[in-house]
Amino acid sequence: MSRGPKRNVAYIKPDEPDFLKRMKAQIGYKEGPTVDEKRQKIQNLSDSEDDDRDERDDEKPQVVVLKEGDLTAEEAAVAKKEEDEKPADLNQKIVFKSKKPKTGSSVDDVQVLDRKAKKKKQKEAQNKLSFGDDEEEEED
């Protein structure tokens, strides 16, 4: 006989003992928000804000025009709006770009690689057996 999962399981929180009630009253303890209250608060926040809202002014990129032909702030806004409105090309392959810089591209990376190579050479030199040194010492 196999029993299916129990579906109608309920939990009833028991009343708090009197001594705990008195202690909490003495120290001025206040109950924190329940899970349902937190969930309701989050839902209210998400309802009030649009997820598709425009970027705030401090989040927008700063536009710097260095020479003639560079995009101005207005031209950049128009280009961004056009890019957002055009449909995605589903025939193209999706390529994810790494945020990490390539190794060996900076001076620090080269220095770290040099240190690692030196340590490896030192370990190899220590691990080599040399029988000729012992024979020369015995002859003296």
Side-chain angles (χ1 to χ4, degrees):
M1 275 179 117
S2 65
R3 291 184 173 173
K6 295 184 179 184
R7 296 178 191 262
N8 296 329
V9 177
Y11 172 75
I12 300 172
K13 188 174 180 178
D15 289 337
E16 199 171 60
D18 290 335
F19 73 95
L20 284 178
K21 289 180 186 176
R22 287 190 303 263
M23 286 177 51
K24 287 182 179 180
Q26 287 175 355
I27 62 170
Y29 177 78
K30 295 179 183 176
E31 282 288 327
T34 63
V35 174
D36 294 330
E37 291 170 355
K38 289 179 182 179
R39 190 174 294 132
Q40 185 67 27
K41 182 179 178 182
I42 290 171
Q43 189 175 22
N44 290 342
L45 286 175
S46 66
D47 289 344
S48 66
E49 293 181 8
D50 293 332
D51 291 335
D52 297 330
R53 65 181 168 89
D54 292 333
E55 288 181 315
R56 296 189 327 218
D57 289 335
D58 60 341
E59 292 177 348
K60 289 183 181 178
Q62 184 176 8
V63 178
V64 178
V65 179
L66 296 176
K67 56 186 175 185
E68 270 318 295
D70 288 348
L71 287 179
T72 62
E74 295 82 22
E75 292 172 342
V78 170
K80 183 178 184 217
K81 186 176 181 183
E82 289 175 359
E83 183 179 319
D84 290 343
E85 290 178 355
K86 72 177 182 180
D89 186 10
L90 301 177
N91 295 329
Q92 290 183 349
K93 185 176 179 181
I94 298 172
V95 179
F96 296 98
K97 296 179 182 176
S98 175
K99 293 183 180 180
K100 296 179 183 176
K102 305 249 184 217
T103 57
S105 62
S106 68
V107 177
D108 294 334
D109 292 338
V110 173
Q111 291 175 352
V112 170
L113 292 174
D114 288 342
R115 287 187 212 138
K116 288 181 181 178
K118 288 179 182 177
K119 287 181 181 179
K120 186 175 180 182
K121 287 180 183 177
Q122 288 175 354
K123 284 185 180 181
E124 288 177 3
Q126 291 174 352
N127 292 337
K128 290 182 181 178
L129 296 176
S130 57
F131 296 104
D133 294 341
D134 293 338
E135 292 174 3
E136 290 176 6
E137 290 175 6
E138 290 176 6
E139 292 176 2
D140 288 335

